[in-house]
Amino acid sequence: MGHRSRFSPFSPWETFVDSFESVRWGAVAVPILKTKRGPRVISILRPDSMRYHGGQIAFPGGAREEGDLTPWETACRETCEEIGLDGKYLKFLGAAPIEDVLVSGFKVIPIVVEVDVAVRESDFVLNEDEVERVILLDPDTISGSPEIRRGLYMGVEYSYPIYPLCEKMSLWGASARMFRNVDRLGFFRRFRSCERSFFQAS
């Protein structure tokens, strides 16, 4: 599959990137998938072998590359490369606040998208170097009031929520902040409202 996108809703990367900053820039997609059981958010489990964020739950995405004109193109390309989901099936919904990922030195733009095609878990094509497996998050079971952890990294204080998923796995760190922001911005509620309207009309 390619990573063709319908259009780019963003300005060029140059409008975000300051040449004097020592950080690197990247973008992730926060893909929302409609299912019969309600909206599901596509996330990925990073392999333990990865240098940064190994063993953590993340959203498909990565670093800006030279051929990426905009953050949208970065998110679409990375989503296709990591889980085989073509950018032409991603419908732009909005963006969450930029995240500072201290450990890897990135500024990341989270882009909220609707997956505009029926997808089953067996349809994903995983890049095994970067993705161990796909995890479909249910906003109804994990949103709410997560535990808040605080830390200190190289003199910088930070905090992040923790969403328990099962006995040995949780969504935490920058990805959890992204999930919380997307929830607070009302994207999950929008999908639930659409579903209620559909069933009432039926």
Side-chain angles (χ1 to χ4, degrees):
M1 283 189 184
H3 57 272
R4 295 164 291 173
S5 55
R6 296 170 171 175
F7 68 101
S8 179
F10 277 93
S11 300
W13 266 117
E14 285 70 20
T15 62
F16 295 90
V17 177
D18 185 338
S19 61
F20 295 99
E21 289 183 319
S22 59
V23 299
R24 294 176 292 173
W25 281 84
V28 303
V30 183
I32 305 177
L33 176 66
K34 292 179 181 177
T35 77
K36 293 180 180 179
R37 297 172 295 169
R40 296 293 184 268
V41 184
I42 300 173
S43 68
I44 56 178
L45 179 64
R46 295 294 189 190
D48 289 329
S49 58
M50 292 191 69
R51 180 180 179 186
Y52 295 114
H53 312 299
Q56 296 181 18
I57 296 174
F59 297 111
R64 168 200 184 206
E65 292 188 357
E66 186 174 349
D68 299 335
L69 299 180
T70 71
W72 174 253
E73 292 183 7
T74 299
C76 288
R77 175 184 54 76
E78 287 282 346
T79 300
C80 185
E81 291 177 359
E82 292 188 342
I83 62 174
L85 187 56
D86 197 309
K88 68 182 180 181
Y89 299 123
L90 303 182
K91 178 182 177 182
F92 174 78
L93 296 180
I98 295 172
E99 282 290 340
D100 286 298
V101 186
L102 298 175
V103 174
S104 52
F106 268 93
K107 283 185 179 293
V108 177
I109 299 176
I111 302 176
V112 187
V113 301
E114 177 184 347
V115 181
D116 202 15
V117 65
V119 177
R120 298 167 299 181
E121 290 189 58
S122 58
D123 294 329
F124 296 112
V125 181
L126 307 186
N127 177 343
E128 295 181 357
D129 291 333
E130 299 185 54
V131 180
E132 183 172 318
R133 65 186 175 99
V134 166
I135 299 173
L136 299 182
L137 304 174
D138 180 356
D140 284 337
T141 61
I142 66 174
S143 61
S145 301
E147 176 188 353
I148 303 298
R149 292 276 181 89
R150 290 176 171 79
L152 185 68
Y153 182 80
M154 297 182 68
V156 179
E157 293 184 357
Y158 65 94
S159 66
Y160 58 87
I162 298 180
Y163 296 93
L165 303 182
C166 62
E167 185 178 348
K168 296 183 179 180
M169 190 176 297
S170 61
L171 174 66
W172 62 281
S175 296
R177 288 197 299 266
M178 295 178 200
F179 180 90
R180 180 179 60 185
N181 288 335
V182 172
D183 189 15
R184 287 176 171 175
L185 289 169
F187 288 103
F188 302 143
R189 291 194 299 274
R190 182 190 309 181
F191 273 77
R192 297 184 194 109
S193 298
C194 290
E195 286 176 356
R196 283 195 296 269
S197 298
F198 173 78
F199 287 118
Q200 289 170 359
S202 301

